[in-house]
Amino acid sequence: MTFSEFSPTQPVILGFDPGKDKCGLAVMGLDRQLYYHQVVTAQKAIATIETLRQQFPVSLLVMGDQTTSKQWKQQLREALIEQLSIILVDERYSTLEARDRYWQMYPPKGLTKLLPQGMRQPPRPIDDIVALLLIERYLNRLTTSVED
């Protein structure tokens, strides 16, 4: 579990990469400060989201729009104690992008450094990094539409 040292004073966005067996979660401020990221089992996802909402001023949930998103959106609507705005974001190619981001966040050590980046496999699931990327895609979409 990864937490930032300090708690945000502004609203934050909760990123959610839903899956059948495991889900990625990330909490990021509008200033793109990352406060939390973790991969949890699908069974623990809703409870973890509730816990995060108690710890952070979550204003919005951003979720990938692929495979299991419709079922998860329905499940979240039914299970969350307080309703939360849910926005679907295009998640195409997010896994490939997350693999690259993993190595930026956790530079390879030892012999792994010698492998070309495209051949390196992160040593753990990266669904949480996908969740982080979904938030960034949402924020990029906001700033792009403001600049147009």
Side-chain angles (χ1 to χ4, degrees):
M1 196 178 309
T2 310
F3 281 102
S4 175
E5 307 301 306
F6 50 108
S7 191
T9 52
Q10 63 176 334
V12 296
I13 298 171
L14 176 63
F16 182 48
D17 178 35
K20 245 175 43 181
D21 303 316
K22 60 186 174 11
C23 300
L25 293 164
V27 174
M28 182 184 279
L30 299 176
D31 59 357
R32 296 177 189 252
Q33 168 79 38
L34 181 63
Y35 293 102
Y36 169 93
H37 63 100
Q38 183 182 16
V39 178
V40 298
T41 63
Q43 294 82 7
K44 290 184 178 175
I46 289 175
T48 306
I49 289 170
E50 289 290 10
T51 302
L52 290 171
R53 290 180 75 188
Q54 290 165 15
Q55 294 172 322
F56 297 100
V58 175
S59 61
L60 175 70
L61 185 139
V62 174
M63 181 168 75
D65 64 356
Q66 299 292 302
T67 333
T68 58
S69 63
K70 282 191 177 67
Q71 295 143 296
W72 271 105
K73 191 172 183 180
Q74 185 61 38
Q75 232 177 311
L76 289 168
R77 293 234 184 273
E78 292 168 7
L80 291 178
I81 295 165
E82 268 182 65
Q83 284 303 303
L84 183 61
S85 295
I86 299 173
I87 298 211
L88 297 181
V89 176
D90 181 5
E91 69 174 298
R92 282 178 295 182
Y93 312 113
S94 57
T95 304
L96 287 172
E97 196 179 330
R99 193 180 306 155
D100 289 344
R101 179 65 66 88
Y102 175 88
W103 294 115
Q104 287 171 12
M105 292 169 74
Y106 306 101
K109 294 175 173 61
L111 293 176
T112 314
K113 272 201 292 201
L114 302 176
L115 283 174
Q117 188 163 316
M119 292 178 69
R120 290 184 210 136
Q121 285 298 319
R124 65 166 184 83
I126 54 172
D127 306 68
D128 57 333
I129 298 175
V130 171
L132 153 89
L133 292 171
L134 294 174
I135 298 171
E136 288 180 348
R137 286 180 179 191
Y138 170 74
L139 291 173
N140 289 344
R141 209 169 64 190
L142 285 183
T143 54
T144 303
S145 54
V146 167
E147 292 166 2
D148 285 348

